[in-house]
Amino acid sequence: MNNKAIALLLISTAAIFFVFGALIGFYVIEENNKVPAVLDVKSLLIDEISADKISENLKHLTSVPHVAGTDQDLTQAEWVRDRFLEAGLDEAETVPYDVLLSYPRPGVINTVQLIDDKNQVNFTTAGRQPALGTPQNSYDKVFANFNAYSGKGVAQGNIVYAYFGRDADYEELKSRGVNVTGHIVLVRYGAIFRGSKVAIAARWGAIGVILFSDPIDKAVKGRNFTFPDSWWLPGMGVESGSLYVVDGDPLTPAYPAIESAFRLKEEDQANLPRIPVQPIGYDEAEIFLRNISPENPPPAAWVGKLDAPYNLGPTPLNPGWNVRINVSTDNEMRRTYNTIGILRGSVEDDRYVLLGNHRDAWTFGALDPSSGTASMIEVVRALGEIKKNKEWRPRRTMVFCSWGAEEYGLIGSYEWTQQFAKVLSQRAVAYLNVDVAVGGNQTFRGSAYPMLKQLLIDSSKLVPNPNPAEVADGRETVFQTWVKYQPDANNPGNPSVGNMGGGSDFAPFAYVVGTPTTDFGYTAPYSYPTYHTMYDNYQLASEIVDRGFVHHQAVARMWAIAATELADAVVIPFDINSYASFLNDSLTSLEKKYDQQLQQNQATFKYFRASVNYFSESTKNFTETTLKNINMDDILTVRQVNDRLTQLERFFIDPKGLPDRPETNHIVFSVSANNAYGSDTFAGLVDLLLEVGNKTESQDPVTWNKIRQHLSVIAFLIGEAARSLSENLW
């Protein structure tokens, strides 16, 4: 080939490579200039979460009673673990704890008896609930009626009817000349935690407690329209439940019940009840009420719907008659299990968004808690499908928690948070709790720390309304029905989101670790009447409360959407300005009620108010300056901002605890001292002010000194929370 031909070939080859390279470059540039498609995980979750699968889960979970510490407890813990792994979680395992639990003695029935003047038994309670509705092979596995941790033994005496058993009720009895010392009190369920009723009764000198549900609360449509014809409680239905007023394992307070733990002797645990307690059906309570003399008639408000006069006592209708309680409930060491599943994050895998529900139940537990367990398993399955089919992972790690022994006093969640408190205090972003996913079918309800309230509201706008009648009336989302039934009087157009109380597994995250928490589910105007009875079963859930499981599906969708937003958002979606508003409003209420009294006793809200104002300024500056100017592509800057957001709640934790309540650490939100289900804002301060009453500083210098000290702690911690939002040391 001559030089000219070679040159022509080289030129031609170069031209071909140039054109080919240009084409490749063009297509590569075009491809790189395309905006990557953002995966709409929330819409995928809406489509994926299945009501039928939730129903299947619930049917399995309710096939046998599953009381904590029994063989069924372990079986279900392992079943949940297997479902987590089957769904595609990266890890799942059971975590055991050896703790003090409580059971009726095998083969022995706890009784309440009416004794005549010849010391003969006139009437004895059944001690068991009769099988009603769809036959279930496991009815015989349900424990006899009992209250966990009751004192055991025999108490015999006259009866005093004490309404709801609150301090105010005993004050009313005292004002009417009724002294309960040395007597047995008959107390209605409701108003406050059952364990608080027993502690208060013992403090007032009662020697035993009989608990019952009244049809005025539990059978409002009449005693002939109850389960299985409706959800109302039949006359021999009996609510079980724990009486322990402090959360966590009774023998390892403040520390986890691991193998190396130091354990108290049972007799050294002062919070365990010492007097015998037994729950009975309202058909049985009626018999005891009829045998009280009419010499002390009740206040009108204390009268329920039983065919009895509700006299106060203690004089019996028949001279010489009285009542005997015989309780053989035993406390014993048992092993219970948490099941923990993990879906690792793709960017911030050391930051955790936690979802939790307890698994144990007093009987079949269809609504409490298995409606939540069945829904969480479906949330996990749906997330696993998206992970598998769309190659998706959340930005942050998601942790799924199935707690054991919640019914005994939040034991599983408390032991776990105590064991991992140091890590959780650094890494936990938020905890989303669903105890009873569906306790009714009217509307969604939710409670949350201030920073999470807007997240619940926004998430509810994305969830289709499960009620066809509501949709027909133009309310197409969960949000719209929520606003209809639970409007926020202070924020028109929004639903009311409650504050956190107690009684479920968010408590250790909220009050020990300082993690923003929420709890939600579907509800009705009444608390569901068969709560903690044998009739909380699959038939109740599937045929009465939620046909088609569409409300379960709505809650599962809500749970998944809220959790995914927390796990996937670049900047964690905490509404810190709402916290500032909440603190301001709460302090204003305290000032109106107590400011004059404080000033008259050398105490002041001055520094408390200054810290709240500083917090308001700091949250406003953080929102309007730091968040608005953040570079979302700068991973380090995003991490710094998110760390300040996640740590903010921790600044309200006082490691020394509230005054006289070292186990309760959150200065803003705390469980009420007189009701383990309720909550008080600034409970430490409010408790002290209630304790001091009208006494002056000279009359009660000790309490007033505690008030001044706690005011200084509150002011300091709120001020430090405000300072934490700045990047500066001071």
Side-chain angles (χ1 to χ4, degrees):
M1 184 178 292
N2 58 32
N3 290 340
K4 185 175 181 181
I6 291 172
L8 184 60
L9 178 61
L10 290 173
I11 291 170
S12 300
T13 302
I16 290 169
F17 276 107
F18 175 79
V19 171
F20 185 66
L23 288 172
I24 291 174
F26 173 77
Y27 285 113
V28 168
I29 291 169
E30 281 295 299
E31 191 65 27
N32 287 341
N33 284 337
K34 288 181 182 177
V35 178
V38 177
L39 188 64
D40 187 356
V41 177
K42 295 171 188 174
S43 293
L44 292 172
L45 286 166
I46 292 288
D47 293 338
E48 183 64 38
I49 289 173
S50 163
D52 288 342
K53 291 188 182 300
I54 295 173
S55 174
E56 292 172 10
N57 294 338
L58 189 68
K59 193 166 189 177
H60 176 85
L61 290 163
T62 57
S63 60
V64 292
H66 40 287
V67 179
T70 63
D71 291 342
Q72 291 83 9
D73 183 21
L74 173 58
T75 299
Q76 289 210 350
E78 292 175 337
W79 185 82
V80 171
R81 177 202 62 198
D82 293 345
R83 300 292 77 70
F84 283 176
L85 293 172
E86 185 181 85
L89 295 190
D90 299 301
E91 292 180 51
E93 61 182 73
T94 58
V95 183
Y97 295 101
D98 294 321
V99 296
L100 186 73
L101 301 181
S102 181
Y103 307 90
R105 188 173 298 170
V108 179
I109 301 292
N110 296 336
T111 60
V112 182
Q113 297 175 317
L114 186 62
I115 309 297
D116 68 17
D117 57 345
K118 295 180 177 58
N119 204 35
Q120 298 299 306
V121 176
N122 180 272
F123 170 75
T124 301
T125 54
R128 285 191 177 276
Q129 301 168 75
L132 299 173
T134 303
Q136 297 198 25
N137 295 329
S138 298
Y139 270 134
D140 61 340
K141 294 184 175 66
V142 174
F143 283 134
N145 303 334
F146 81 114
N147 284 119
Y149 301 117
S150 167
K152 62 182 175 182
V154 177
Q156 188 163 341
N158 293 334
I159 279 189
V160 173
Y161 171 52
Y163 196 32
F164 286 121
R166 301 164 294 192
D167 274 310
D169 300 327
Y170 290 100
E171 293 287 359
E172 178 67 25
L173 288 169
K174 183 179 178 181
S175 73
R176 292 168 177 259
V178 179
N179 183 353
V180 304
T181 301
H183 299 308
I184 294 167
V185 290
L186 180 64
V187 178
R188 272 167 59 177
Y189 272 122
I192 62 173
F193 173 56
R194 73 187 76 80
S196 301
K197 296 173 187 286
V198 174
I200 293 168
R203 197 164 65 237
W204 281 84
I207 61 171
V209 179
I210 304 168
L211 295 170
F212 76 102
S213 301
D214 197 287
I216 199 171
D217 305 312
K218 300 291 189 175
V220 301
K221 298 294 180 67
R223 292 165 70 174
N224 293 321
F225 186 58
T226 59
F227 185 85
D229 300 317
S230 72
W231 77 339
W232 301 108
L233 183 67
M236 292 298 287
V238 176
E239 176 185 324
S240 295
S242 174
L243 304 176
Y244 187 52
V245 293
V246 180
D247 295 323
D249 172 36
L251 302 187
T252 58
Y255 294 95
I258 56 179
E259 184 178 358
S260 61
F262 169 79
R263 287 175 167 82
L264 299 175
K265 294 179 180 178
E266 188 178 329
E267 58 267 26
D268 294 334
Q269 175 47 270
N271 291 302
L272 288 171
R274 302 296 187 235
I275 60 176
V277 183
Q278 180 63 15
I280 63 175
Y282 59 74
D283 282 353
E284 297 170 321
E286 187 171 67
I287 294 170
F288 294 106
L289 282 168
R290 286 174 179 170
N291 280 275
I292 300 176
S293 167
E295 67 183 56
N296 286 318
W302 290 28
V303 177
K305 289 294 185 182
L306 292 173
D307 184 14
Y310 290 85
N311 294 317
L312 302 179
T315 305
L317 181 64
N318 300 304
W321 290 44
N322 58 31
V323 170
R324 180 192 298 152
I325 303 177
N326 193 335
V327 173
S328 300
T329 298
D330 291 319
N331 299 338
E332 55 185 274
M333 293 297 296
R334 292 280 188 98
R335 177 164 289 185
T336 190
Y337 300 85
N338 297 331
T339 299
I340 308 297
I342 296 173
L343 176 59
R344 297 202 179 281
S346 59
V347 179
E348 299 178 72
D349 62 344
D350 63 340
R351 293 296 181 263
Y352 310 145
V353 174
L354 302 106
L355 297 78
N357 156 268
H358 77 92
R359 188 185 61 258
D360 64 303
W362 293 115
T363 62
F364 300 103
L367 303 188
D368 180 14
S370 299
S371 63
T373 310
S375 299
M376 181 166 67
I377 291 170
E378 176 58 7
V379 168
V380 170
R381 188 200 65 80
L383 288 167
E385 286 296 304
I386 296 169
K387 167 180 168 275
K388 179 175 66 176
N389 296 328
K390 302 294 182 180
E391 297 184 351
W392 168 86
R393 278 187 179 273
R395 179 184 179 91
R396 300 176 187 90
T397 294
M398 302 177 82
V399 182
F400 303 91
C401 310
S402 175
W403 306 117
E406 185 268 1
E407 295 292 4
Y408 283 87
L410 318 184
I411 289 178
S413 56
Y414 254 89
E415 301 316 303
W416 194 78
T417 52
Q418 287 169 348
Q419 184 175 1
F420 300 104
K422 299 299 184 183
V423 171
L424 292 170
S425 66
Q426 295 175 341
R427 302 179 184 178
V429 174
Y431 174 74
L432 308 184
N433 192 69
V434 173
D435 190 321
V436 179
V438 178
N441 53 28
Q442 183 190 72
T443 184
F444 185 83
R445 58 94 195 151
S447 300
Y449 270 9
M451 290 193 294
L452 288 176
K453 290 187 176 185
Q454 192 60 47
L455 174 70
L456 281 191
I457 292 170
D458 291 343
S459 299
S460 71
K461 294 176 180 178
L462 302 178
V463 179
N465 199 320
N467 187 333
E470 287 290 294
V471 174
D473 286 342
R475 289 178 285 276
E476 297 182 351
T477 65
V478 165
F479 167 82
Q480 291 166 306
T481 296
W482 190 11
V483 173
K484 172 188 172 184
Y485 285 105
Q486 297 184 359
D488 186 343
N490 298 318
N491 295 286
N494 274 329
S496 176
V497 184
N499 297 324
M500 303 304 291
S504 194
D505 293 300
F506 55 78
F509 290 93
Y511 306 135
V512 177
V513 179
T515 303
T517 61
T518 182
D519 181 81
F520 52 83
Y522 251 80
T523 190
Y526 299 91
S527 174
Y528 83 92
T530 55
Y531 170 77
H532 284 192
T533 73
M534 193 163 75
Y535 312 117
D536 183 5
N537 56 25
Y538 185 76
Q539 181 183 8
L540 175 77
S542 62
E543 297 180 18
I544 298 173
V545 176
D546 192 17
R547 290 180 179 273
F549 285 83
V550 292
H551 297 86
H552 286 76
Q553 182 184 44
V555 173
R557 287 168 165 173
M558 180 83 181
W559 207 356
I561 287 170
T564 303
E565 177 66 13
L566 287 165
D568 253 0
V570 177
V571 175
I572 297 167
F574 284 166
D575 182 8
I576 59 174
N577 288 325
S578 288
Y579 218 137
S581 298
F582 179 85
L583 292 178
N584 180 69
D585 293 346
S586 299
L587 175 54
T588 298
S589 296
L590 290 172
E591 288 171 330
K592 288 179 180 178
K593 190 170 184 178
Y594 296 112
D595 187 52
Q596 185 176 359
Q597 183 183 10
L598 260 63
Q599 291 186 43
Q600 292 170 349
N601 291 279
Q602 292 74 54
T604 179
F605 281 122
K606 174 183 175 182
Y607 301 106
F608 190 166
R609 170 54 67 186
S611 291
V612 169
N613 291 343
Y614 178 30
F615 188 86
S616 297
E617 293 167 6
S618 296
T619 55
K620 182 179 179 182
N621 181 66
F622 188 84
T623 302
E624 295 182 355
T625 303
T626 304
L627 291 182
K628 278 190 176 179
N629 297 321
I630 188 172
N631 179 1
M632 296 290 194
D633 296 324
D634 187 334
I635 295 176
L636 179 59
T637 299
V638 169
R639 178 68 169 228
Q640 290 172 338
V641 167
N642 282 336
D643 283 351
R644 276 180 258 167
L645 286 169
T646 56
Q647 289 298 316
L648 182 62
E649 195 74 56
R650 320 281 204 262
F651 280 85
F652 298 120
I653 295 293
D654 182 355
K656 294 185 178 296
L658 302 186
D660 303 319
R661 296 172 64 190
E663 76 283 351
T664 305
N665 296 16
H666 202 294
I667 62 161
V668 182
F669 296 102
S670 294
V671 176
S672 168
N674 295 308
N675 176 16
Y677 281 162
S679 66
D680 289 323
T681 305
F682 297 109
L685 179 61
V686 171
D687 287 345
L688 289 171
L689 289 167
L690 291 174
E691 179 183 336
V692 81
N694 295 322
K695 289 177 283 193
T696 64
E697 202 274 342
S698 61
Q699 294 170 320
D700 191 354
V702 173
T703 304
W704 275 107
N705 206 44
K706 289 180 181 178
I707 289 170
R708 284 189 288 271
Q709 182 183 27
H710 193 55
L711 280 166
S712 73
V713 170
I714 291 171
F716 169 70
L717 292 178
I718 293 176
E720 290 307 293
R723 195 187 318 279
S724 75
L725 292 172
S726 169
E727 60 188 17
N728 300 318
L729 179 59
W730 55 71

